[in-house]
Amino acid sequence: MSMSPKLAAAIAAILWGFTYIITTSFLPPNPMFNAALRALGGGLPLLLLARDFPPREWWGRILVLGTLNSALFFALLFVAAIRLPGGMAATFQALGPLFMVLLAWPVLGAIPSKAKVGAVALGAVGVSMVVLKGNAALDAIGIAAALGRLWLSHWAGPCCTNGAVPARSSA
């Protein structure tokens, strides 16, 4: 039985959306513990399913990618979730597309059109209008963590692998 890609994407988005509620309601206020729990929850089942190690020359890259995409990413995610109100965290999440459009300019030389920048900025403003409250507290550490997580989610993978993917072993 296979799942349609649209249903899989919808389920992933719904599960990702529970991060803030679960973090603030059920988990201890320890971002490193929460990050380890989150990474192990996905990593151990994948390791059991794959049962195949990448080539030895990729181990250093995998260590860097694992640190940036999982360990540091999740730690920053949980610092932001613990220190920022939900609306503020959602607003930073909505800034992801704007960050990516602007990052593509110096990195890829893709000059963003005014329409593209305007559309993603309008989307972020729309999200903030829906989820922010007038008394939203700003926390410098939480904002720094949210911005760091945003940078890692859009830049760490391409930066470290240069677009390369390890070849599967034929065993």
Side-chain angles (χ1 to χ4, degrees):
M1 178 172 117
S2 67
M3 184 182 303
S4 78
K6 289 181 182 179
L7 179 61
I11 290 172
I14 290 167
L15 291 175
W16 184 259
F18 281 109
T19 298
Y20 181 79
I21 295 168
I22 291 171
T23 300
T24 56
S25 301
F26 301 110
L27 295 176
N30 183 336
M32 296 310 288
F33 171 77
N34 296 342
L37 192 65
R38 178 85 180 243
L40 284 173
L44 291 178
L46 288 174
L47 185 60
L48 291 173
L49 287 172
R51 296 182 185 258
D52 190 17
F53 284 102
R56 197 180 259 305
E57 60 270 7
W58 266 82
W59 288 7
R61 291 178 184 165
I62 289 172
L63 181 65
V64 171
L65 281 171
T67 300
L68 294 176
N69 287 335
S70 292
L72 188 57
F73 174 83
F74 286 144
L76 291 173
L77 170 78
F78 287 112
V79 167
I82 289 168
R83 297 188 69 105
L84 294 175
M88 185 66 65
T91 301
F92 277 105
Q93 185 69 25
L95 289 173
L98 180 62
F99 186 78
M100 198 63 200
V101 165
L102 295 176
L103 184 64
W105 189 354
V107 173
L108 302 174
I111 300 172
S113 67
K114 290 179 184 177
K116 190 178 285 187
V117 172
V120 294
L122 186 62
V125 168
V127 168
S128 66
M129 289 176 67
V130 170
V131 298
L132 281 181
K133 296 179 181 172
N135 61 353
L138 297 177
D139 178 80
I141 294 172
I143 290 172
L147 289 173
R149 187 205 56 80
L150 193 63
W151 180 82
L152 284 172
S153 67
H154 293 299
W155 180 240
C159 154
C160 299
T161 63
N162 200 18
V165 177
R168 303 278 292 152
S169 65
S170 58

